[in-house]
Amino acid sequence: MFARALSYILVGCLALGFIGALLIGFATLIIYSNLPSLETLTDYRPKIPLRIYSDEGLLIGEFGAERRNVVDISEVPTHLKQAILAAEDDRFYEHGGVDYLGVLRAAYSNFTAGTVRQGASTITMQVARNFFLTPEKTLTRKFSEVLLAYKIEQNLSKDKILELYINQIYLGQRSYGFSAAAHTYFGKSLQEIDLAEAALLAGLPKAPSSYNPISNPKRAKSRQLYVLGRLHKLNQITSQELDALEKQPIPIKKPSTPLSMPAHYVTEMVRQVIYDRYQEETYSKGIKVYTTIRQPDQEAAYRSLRKNVLDYDRRHGYRGSEGYVDLSKNGANQEKTLDDALDEIYDSDDIHAAIVLAVKPNSVQAYRKGGEIVEINGDRLKFVQKYLAAKREAGKKTIIPGALIRIQKDKDNWHIVQLPEIEAALVALDPNDGAIRALIGGFDFQRNQFNHVTQAWRQPGSSFKPFIYSAALEKGFTPATIINDAPLSFSATQTGSRVWEPKNFDGKFDGPMRLRTALTKSKNLVSIRILQAIGIHYAQDYITRFGFDANQHPPYLPMALGAGSTTPMQMAAGYAVFANGGYRVAPYFIKSIEDERGNVIEQFQPISINHGAKRIIDPRNAFLMTTMMQDVISHGTATRAKQLGRTDLAGKTGTTSNFVDAWFCGYQKNLVTIAWLGYDEPRSLGNNETGGRVALPMWMDYMAAVLKGVSMAEYKAPTGITSARINSATGFRESSGDIAEYFLNEQLPPINEQPVHSTPQTTRDLVDQLF
């Protein structure tokens, strides 16, 4: 009886087992037949961001939801592969997609620990899940994962599967793949990481957020130790190596991007161009863009702009603390409270946010994010001395405990500074083909994305005068033409607005003077007389040759003083004409565009002075303008630039009414640089904050850096130019004249006469009427 019952049970179990096997087999057939094609793996095309490079091939920008650098398995260091396998799947090269021994080991470890400490997913199963399946934890999904792992193993080599894993897995901080993570966490290429760094990265796949070394360094260290322990257990590192590695601190550097230089305004310009062409594919197809930006130039421009903006800001005094944190509520957890408060405050490069902890008459103690406490004392407090207080004062942004301030380190000492309100722009280009070498569109892209180089329409002031003077030379004026610097008054009809009595900057009138002297001293009254003489509409049409929009420069006399509107980029293109001998070139910043495989999609062919550029002014005109603007530096409004010790520099200062805009536009034969400063909401920069005081130093700092070691250039007089000695007071050509002047061959002034002008009669009559 018992034997019969046992046999029934046995038969029942066998039947159930058989039915279960049939069901499993049927389910396997159904699920397997519906598994996705492995084409995604065999033709691996991950989402690769748009990457932007400098002229030297250095990465300067990246746009995309995922940071990723795809590498071949042969490029992966052996110690990293060992660390990954030790952490995730040490029997990877032995199993067929599912590691049954690993399953048993994980089950035992989890049972004895009373918690889930180990998983049983192989690397192949993780590849299957990451590429094809959802993250939901269901029996069907897990079964599909197992079957798909088998399918992958049957179609791909082990090395190929590991390569896919290494490139695809998410490792935190928007980094996908180990190569991108190496750059993100260590600022290194994959080939440069050491064993400690490899173990840290290998520990991230399990939980990138929990083991993130930036936000959770303690957990990251714990996970790294686990990976190192596994390597030791697998006899891949010695006990001595393990001991040494365990004692090392987390090998994390300051959270960084792998960008080679600050070029945010440039990369945003590139992004807009590429998006216009490729739309959403811009961010996922691995497009590479190579620009004309050069690292030495871009870094020098960035340093120069920030330094001079801060110098200006410091001259105008401290404006007070930015806000306050209530320190009385911190209790025992003060550091966390301070860090939380500082988390929301953006650091502008080397200008850091800090919270004041204590204030004494001669010292301030402040907390910087991360636990650093800095002390500022002595002379370093002069800038903020009036704001130091024991308690908060109504209506005054005093520095008291809890005050939010900004600090900056100068060598070994911290100083209290402030974020400037003023903005600035600097752009430099090669005048021979228009290649932009440096472009900084503002003080800080994170604070203000408005690109002042291309988007800021501002009055150029006297920096616009060279274009009016060039038009005068075209009309027959010479550098020796005598024009009267005397008072003028104009009706509202003549100016287009209201009665106007223009003045020179110094308020003085120097009487008759040569054209060259007038430009050198930036005489407003002479410029107006010149415009009257050549004709306003002629001048308005003439400036369009240089790329200026006539509509932005209304046909009224204030145009002579730069009362129209232009951008720094337009000014750069305009001054390039003088620098290159009379050709118009178009500024450009993209050299080539490549696909993810390195195939060139587009190659930009610039119009250069040697290839297709249109001559827009006589080379003799360009030469004469250059010599006159060299005088601006040698003994005019920009003599400060003589400190650079170069004789091949030319340029013009510019200051608009009420000191609203400050410019310096200048060049060396192979480099045009434009510097501008002003407020976004136009207002005065302050008395005597001229282009020569505010913009010129920025221009000088940049040019000093990029022209260091560059040979002095020569401006050779083109054919048709004659040098003659003249009387500087009269413009006579005299053998014993006190100065030498350049003239067009056909415009040599007469000898022993009292000429006003050596141009055709119509122009001479106009000039005569101005005296």
Side-chain angles (χ1 to χ4, degrees), residues 231-254:
L231 285 167
H232 179 252
K233 188 174 181 180
L234 295 169
N235 298 316
Q236 290 171 341
I237 60 173
T238 65
S239 298
Q240 291 78 11
E241 289 174 320
L242 177 62
D243 289 341
L245 290 165
E246 284 179 337
K247 293 174 184 176
Q248 288 184 14
I250 285 287
I252 191 69
K253 293 186 178 178
K254 177 184 177 182

PDB file of all heavy atoms in Angstrom, residues 231-254:
ATOM      1  N   LEU A 231      40.903  41.182  -6.131  1.00  0.00           N
ATOM      2  CA  LEU A 231      42.119  41.007  -6.923  1.00  0.00           C
ATOM      3  C   LEU A 231      43.167  40.206  -6.167  1.00  0.00           C
ATOM      4  O   LEU A 231      43.864  39.350  -6.736  1.00  0.00           O
ATOM      5  CB  LEU A 231      42.695  42.386  -7.302  1.00  0.00           C
ATOM      6  CG  LEU A 231      41.961  43.146  -8.415  1.00  0.00           C
ATOM      7  CD1 LEU A 231      42.426  44.595  -8.478  1.00  0.00           C
ATOM      8  CD2 LEU A 231      42.178  42.467  -9.770  1.00  0.00           C
ATOM      9  N   HIS A 232      43.254  40.460  -4.867  1.00  0.00           N
ATOM     10  CA  HIS A 232      44.202  39.713  -4.040  1.00  0.00           C
ATOM     11  C   HIS A 232      43.787  38.256  -3.929  1.00  0.00           C
ATOM     12  O   HIS A 232      44.627  37.341  -4.037  1.00  0.00           O
ATOM     13  CB  HIS A 232      44.282  40.355  -2.653  1.00  0.00           C
ATOM     14  CG  HIS A 232      45.211  39.631  -1.725  1.00  0.00           C
ATOM     15  ND1 HIS A 232      44.752  38.873  -0.651  1.00  0.00           N
ATOM     16  CD2 HIS A 232      46.568  39.525  -1.723  1.00  0.00           C
ATOM     17  CE1 HIS A 232      45.789  38.350  -0.021  1.00  0.00           C
ATOM     18  NE2 HIS A 232      46.903  38.730  -0.646  1.00  0.00           N
ATOM     19  N   LYS A 233      42.491  38.027  -3.741  1.00  0.00           N
ATOM     20  CA  LYS A 233      41.989  36.658  -3.626  1.00  0.00           C
ATOM     21  C   LYS A 233      42.229  35.871  -4.904  1.00  0.00           C
ATOM     22  O   LYS A 233      42.466  34.655  -4.871  1.00  0.00           O
ATOM     23  CB  LYS A 233      40.502  36.686  -3.287  1.00  0.00           C
ATOM     24  CG  LYS A 233      39.927  35.315  -2.952  1.00  0.00           C
ATOM     25  CD  LYS A 233      38.488  35.439  -2.475  1.00  0.00           C
ATOM     26  CE  LYS A 233      37.922  34.073  -2.110  1.00  0.00           C
ATOM     27  NZ  LYS A 233      36.519  34.175  -1.632  1.00  0.00           N
ATOM     28  N   LEU A 234      42.200  36.549  -6.022  1.00  0.00           N
ATOM     29  CA  LEU A 234      42.421  35.903  -7.318  1.00  0.00           C
ATOM     30  C   LEU A 234      43.910  35.876  -7.690  1.00  0.00           C
ATOM     31  O   LEU A 234      44.270  35.534  -8.823  1.00  0.00           O
ATOM     32  CB  LEU A 234      41.646  36.640  -8.407  1.00  0.00           C
ATOM     33  CG  LEU A 234      40.110  36.592  -8.292  1.00  0.00           C
ATOM     34  CD1 LEU A 234      39.462  37.565  -9.264  1.00  0.00           C
ATOM     35  CD2 LEU A 234      39.608  35.177  -8.529  1.00  0.00           C
ATOM     36  N   ASN A 235      44.762  36.249  -6.733  1.00  0.00           N
ATOM     37  CA  ASN A 235      46.219  36.213  -6.904  1.00  0.00           C
ATOM     38  C   ASN A 235      46.714  37.143  -8.025  1.00  0.00           C
ATOM     39  O   ASN A 235      47.713  36.846  -8.695  1.00  0.00           O
ATOM     40  CB  ASN A 235      46.704  34.778  -7.165  1.00  0.00           C
ATOM     41  CG  ASN A 235      46.414  33.858  -6.007  1.00  0.00           C
ATOM     42  OD1 ASN A 235      46.635  34.226  -4.840  1.00  0.00           O
ATOM     43  ND2 ASN A 235      45.900  32.667  -6.297  1.00  0.00           N
ATOM     44  N   GLN A 236      46.043  38.260  -8.199  1.00  0.00           N
ATOM     45  CA  GLN A 236      46.460  39.200  -9.231  1.00  0.00           C
ATOM     46  C   GLN A 236      47.211  40.388  -8.639  1.00  0.00           C
ATOM     47  O   GLN A 236      47.798  41.182  -9.375  1.00  0.00           O
ATOM     48  CB  GLN A 236      45.244  39.669 -10.039  1.00  0.00           C
ATOM     49  CG  GLN A 236      44.699  38.535 -10.909  1.00  0.00           C
ATOM     50  CD  GLN A 236      43.382  38.857 -11.566  1.00  0.00           C
ATOM     51  OE1 GLN A 236      42.665  39.764 -11.130  1.00  0.00           O
ATOM     52  NE2 GLN A 236      43.037  38.104 -12.602  1.00  0.00           N
ATOM     53  N   ILE A 237      47.182  40.536  -7.314  1.00  0.00           N
ATOM     54  CA  ILE A 237      48.062  41.471  -6.620  1.00  0.00           C
ATOM     55  C   ILE A 237      48.565  40.786  -5.364  1.00  0.00           C
ATOM     56  O   ILE A 237      47.902  39.893  -4.815  1.00  0.00           O
ATOM     57  CB  ILE A 237      47.366  42.798  -6.250  1.00  0.00           C
ATOM     58  CG1 ILE A 237      46.157  42.558  -5.329  1.00  0.00           C
ATOM     59  CG2 ILE A 237      46.958  43.564  -7.489  1.00  0.00           C
ATOM     60  CD1 ILE A 237      45.537  43.847  -4.800  1.00  0.00           C
ATOM     61  N   THR A 238      49.745  41.176  -4.894  1.00  0.00           N
ATOM     62  CA  THR A 238      50.341  40.567  -3.707  1.00  0.00           C
ATOM     63  C   THR A 238      49.778  41.203  -2.439  1.00  0.00           C
ATOM     64  O   THR A 238      49.109  42.245  -2.487  1.00  0.00           O
ATOM     65  CB  THR A 238      51.863  40.763  -3.725  1.00  0.00           C
ATOM     66  OG1 THR A 238      52.145  42.165  -3.615  1.00  0.00           O
ATOM     67  CG2 THR A 238      52.462  40.213  -5.020  1.00  0.00           C
ATOM     68  N   SER A 239      50.084  40.577  -1.318  1.00  0.00           N
ATOM     69  CA  SER A 239      49.647  41.119  -0.029  1.00  0.00           C
ATOM     70  C   SER A 239      50.273  42.481   0.224  1.00  0.00           C
ATOM     71  O   SER A 239      49.627  43.389   0.770  1.00  0.00           O
ATOM     72  CB  SER A 239      50.029  40.156   1.105  1.00  0.00           C
ATOM     73  OG  SER A 239      49.378  38.920   0.938  1.00  0.00           O
ATOM     74  N   GLN A 240      51.542  42.621  -0.184  1.00  0.00           N
ATOM     75  CA  GLN A 240      52.223  43.910  -0.006  1.00  0.00           C
ATOM     76  C   GLN A 240      51.545  45.004  -0.844  1.00  0.00           C
ATOM     77  O   GLN A 240      51.341  46.138  -0.381  1.00  0.00           O
ATOM     78  CB  GLN A 240      53.703  43.794  -0.402  1.00  0.00           C
ATOM     79  CG  GLN A 240      54.552  42.935   0.527  1.00  0.00           C
ATOM     80  CD  GLN A 240      54.354  41.439   0.285  1.00  0.00           C
ATOM     81  OE1 GLN A 240      53.742  41.022  -0.715  1.00  0.00           O
ATOM     82  NE2 GLN A 240      54.872  40.630   1.204  1.00  0.00           N
ATOM     83  N   GLU A 241      51.201  44.646  -2.070  1.00  0.00           N
ATOM     84  CA  GLU A 241      50.511  45.621  -2.936  1.00  0.00           C
ATOM     85  C   GLU A 241      49.145  45.983  -2.361  1.00  0.00           C
ATOM     86  O   GLU A 241      48.743  47.153  -2.381  1.00  0.00           O
ATOM     87  CB  GLU A 241      50.350  45.056  -4.342  1.00  0.00           C
ATOM     88  CG  GLU A 241      51.650  44.968  -5.132  1.00  0.00           C
ATOM     89  CD  GLU A 241      51.460  44.275  -6.465  1.00  0.00           C
ATOM     90  OE1 GLU A 241      50.715  43.272  -6.530  1.00  0.00           O
ATOM     91  OE2 GLU A 241      52.063  44.728  -7.463  1.00  0.00           O
ATOM     92  N   LEU A 242      48.461  44.986  -1.827  1.00  0.00           N
ATOM     93  CA  LEU A 242      47.149  45.235  -1.238  1.00  0.00           C
ATOM     94  C   LEU A 242      47.268  46.185  -0.056  1.00  0.00           C
ATOM     95  O   LEU A 242      46.493  47.152   0.055  1.00  0.00           O
ATOM     96  CB  LEU A 242      46.501  43.923  -0.802  1.00  0.00           C
ATOM     97  CG  LEU A 242      45.140  44.054  -0.091  1.00  0.00           C
ATOM     98  CD1 LEU A 242      44.116  44.680  -1.035  1.00  0.00           C
ATOM     99  CD2 LEU A 242      44.668  42.687   0.410  1.00  0.00           C
ATOM    100  N   ASP A 243      48.238  45.935   0.827  1.00  0.00           N
ATOM    101  CA  ASP A 243      48.427  46.803   1.996  1.00  0.00           C
ATOM    102  C   ASP A 243      48.712  48.242   1.584  1.00  0.00           C
ATOM    103  O   ASP A 243      48.172  49.197   2.154  1.00  0.00           O
ATOM    104  CB  ASP A 243      49.587  46.285   2.858  1.00  0.00           C
ATOM    105  CG  ASP A 243      49.228  44.993   3.568  1.00  0.00           C
ATOM    106  OD1 ASP A 243      48.017  44.694   3.681  1.00  0.00           O
ATOM    107  OD2 ASP A 243      50.155  44.267   3.985  1.00  0.00           O
ATOM    108  N   ALA A 244      49.577  48.406   0.573  1.00  0.00           N
ATOM    109  CA  ALA A 244      49.944  49.750   0.118  1.00  0.00           C
ATOM    110  C   ALA A 244      48.743  50.464  -0.498  1.00  0.00           C
ATOM    111  O   ALA A 244      48.500  51.653  -0.243  1.00  0.00           O
ATOM    112  CB  ALA A 244      51.086  49.665  -0.890  1.00  0.00           C
ATOM    113  N   LEU A 245      47.972  49.739  -1.297  1.00  0.00           N
ATOM    114  CA  LEU A 245      46.813  50.347  -1.967  1.00  0.00           C
ATOM    115  C   LEU A 245      45.702  50.692  -0.985  1.00  0.00           C
ATOM    116  O   LEU A 245      44.996  51.691  -1.152  1.00  0.00           O
ATOM    117  CB  LEU A 245      46.291  49.412  -3.050  1.00  0.00           C
ATOM    118  CG  LEU A 245      47.201  49.257  -4.280  1.00  0.00           C
ATOM    119  CD1 LEU A 245      46.773  48.060  -5.110  1.00  0.00           C
ATOM    120  CD2 LEU A 245      47.178  50.531  -5.121  1.00  0.00           C
ATOM    121  N   GLU A 246      45.547  49.868   0.051  1.00  0.00           N
ATOM    122  CA  GLU A 246      44.501  50.126   1.046  1.00  0.00           C
ATOM    123  C   GLU A 246      44.767  51.420   1.802  1.00  0.00           C
ATOM    124  O   GLU A 246      43.829  52.105   2.234  1.00  0.00           O
ATOM    125  CB  GLU A 246      44.410  48.960   2.020  1.00  0.00           C
ATOM    126  CG  GLU A 246      43.715  47.734   1.445  1.00  0.00           C
ATOM    127  CD  GLU A 246      43.660  46.586   2.442  1.00  0.00           C
ATOM    128  OE1 GLU A 246      44.494  46.559   3.371  1.00  0.00           O
ATOM    129  OE2 GLU A 246      42.777  45.724   2.289  1.00  0.00           O
ATOM    130  N   LYS A 247      46.048  51.772   1.971  1.00  0.00           N
ATOM    131  CA  LYS A 247      46.399  52.962   2.738  1.00  0.00           C
ATOM    132  C   LYS A 247      46.313  54.256   1.924  1.00  0.00           C
ATOM    133  O   LYS A 247      46.345  55.344   2.482  1.00  0.00           O
ATOM    134  CB  LYS A 247      47.826  52.811   3.283  1.00  0.00           C
ATOM    135  CG  LYS A 247      47.943  51.694   4.323  1.00  0.00           C
ATOM    136  CD  LYS A 247      49.392  51.470   4.728  1.00  0.00           C
ATOM    137  CE  LYS A 247      49.514  50.297   5.692  1.00  0.00           C
ATOM    138  NZ  LYS A 247      50.935  49.999   6.027  1.00  0.00           N
ATOM    139  N   GLN A 248      46.222  54.113   0.612  1.00  0.00           N
ATOM    140  CA  GLN A 248      46.152  55.303  -0.235  1.00  0.00           C
ATOM    141  C   GLN A 248      44.797  55.985  -0.095  1.00  0.00           C
ATOM    142  O   GLN A 248      43.770  55.324   0.021  1.00  0.00           O
ATOM    143  CB  GLN A 248      46.374  54.929  -1.709  1.00  0.00           C
ATOM    144  CG  GLN A 248      47.796  54.555  -2.055  1.00  0.00           C
ATOM    145  CD  GLN A 248      47.949  54.296  -3.551  1.00  0.00           C
ATOM    146  OE1 GLN A 248      47.080  54.640  -4.346  1.00  0.00           O
ATOM    147  NE2 GLN A 248      49.057  53.666  -3.918  1.00  0.00           N
ATOM    148  N   PRO A 249      44.777  57.327  -0.110  1.00  0.00           N
ATOM    149  CA  PRO A 249      43.483  58.029  -0.103  1.00  0.00           C
ATOM    150  C   PRO A 249      42.763  57.821  -1.442  1.00  0.00           C
ATOM    151  O   PRO A 249      43.368  57.356  -2.408  1.00  0.00           O
ATOM    152  CB  PRO A 249      43.881  59.504   0.082  1.00  0.00           C
ATOM    153  CG  PRO A 249      45.278  59.576  -0.465  1.00  0.00           C
ATOM    154  CD  PRO A 249      45.914  58.256  -0.133  1.00  0.00           C
ATOM    155  N   ILE A 250      41.498  58.166  -1.453  1.00  0.00           N
ATOM    156  CA  ILE A 250      40.737  58.045  -2.703  1.00  0.00           C
ATOM    157  C   ILE A 250      41.468  58.840  -3.788  1.00  0.00           C
ATOM    158  O   ILE A 250      41.742  60.027  -3.603  1.00  0.00           O
ATOM    159  CB  ILE A 250      39.308  58.608  -2.510  1.00  0.00           C
ATOM    160  CG1 ILE A 250      38.471  57.627  -1.714  1.00  0.00           C
ATOM    161  CG2 ILE A 250      38.645  58.875  -3.854  1.00  0.00           C
ATOM    162  CD1 ILE A 250      38.066  56.403  -2.484  1.00  0.00           C
ATOM    163  N   PRO A 251      41.809  58.202  -4.884  1.00  0.00           N
ATOM    164  CA  PRO A 251      42.596  58.896  -5.916  1.00  0.00           C
ATOM    165  C   PRO A 251      41.756  59.792  -6.800  1.00  0.00           C
ATOM    166  O   PRO A 251      41.861  59.773  -8.025  1.00  0.00           O
ATOM    167  CB  PRO A 251      43.180  57.721  -6.709  1.00  0.00           C
ATOM    168  CG  PRO A 251      42.127  56.664  -6.620  1.00  0.00           C
ATOM    169  CD  PRO A 251      41.522  56.803  -5.249  1.00  0.00           C
ATOM    170  N   ILE A 252      40.904  60.572  -6.177  1.00  0.00           N
ATOM    171  CA  ILE A 252      40.015  61.439  -6.958  1.00  0.00           C
ATOM    172  C   ILE A 252      40.612  62.832  -7.031  1.00  0.00           C
ATOM    173  O   ILE A 252      41.151  63.341  -6.063  1.00  0.00           O
ATOM    174  CB  ILE A 252      38.599  61.481  -6.346  1.00  0.00           C
ATOM    175  CG1 ILE A 252      37.626  62.161  -7.299  1.00  0.00           C
ATOM    176  CG2 ILE A 252      38.596  62.170  -5.006  1.00  0.00           C
ATOM    177  CD1 ILE A 252      37.337  61.376  -8.514  1.00  0.00           C
ATOM    178  N   LYS A 253      40.504  63.432  -8.194  1.00  0.00           N
ATOM    179  CA  LYS A 253      40.923  64.809  -8.345  1.00  0.00           C
ATOM    180  C   LYS A 253      39.696  65.686  -8.281  1.00  0.00           C
ATOM    181  O   LYS A 253      38.574  65.209  -8.230  1.00  0.00           O
ATOM    182  CB  LYS A 253      41.653  64.990  -9.673  1.00  0.00           C
ATOM    183  CG  LYS A 253      42.985  64.249  -9.720  1.00  0.00           C
ATOM    184  CD  LYS A 253      43.737  64.567 -10.986  1.00  0.00           C
ATOM    185  CE  LYS A 253      45.089  63.861 -10.978  1.00  0.00           C
ATOM    186  NZ  LYS A 253      45.840  64.110 -12.222  1.00  0.00           N
ATOM    187  N   LYS A 254      39.938  66.999  -8.290  1.00  0.00           N
ATOM    188  CA  LYS A 254      38.818  67.941  -8.322  1.00  0.00           C
ATOM    189  C   LYS A 254      37.910  67.572  -9.487  1.00  0.00           C
ATOM    190  O   LYS A 254      38.387  67.331 -10.588  1.00  0.00           O
ATOM    191  CB  LYS A 254      39.356  69.360  -8.506  1.00  0.00           C
ATOM    192  CG  LYS A 254      38.272  70.420  -8.615  1.00  0.00           C
ATOM    193  CD  LYS A 254      38.889  71.773  -8.885  1.00  0.00           C
ATOM    194  CE  LYS A 254      37.801  72.824  -9.079  1.00  0.00           C
ATOM    195  NZ  LYS A 254      38.367  74.148  -9.386  1.00  0.00           N
TER     196      LYS A 254
END
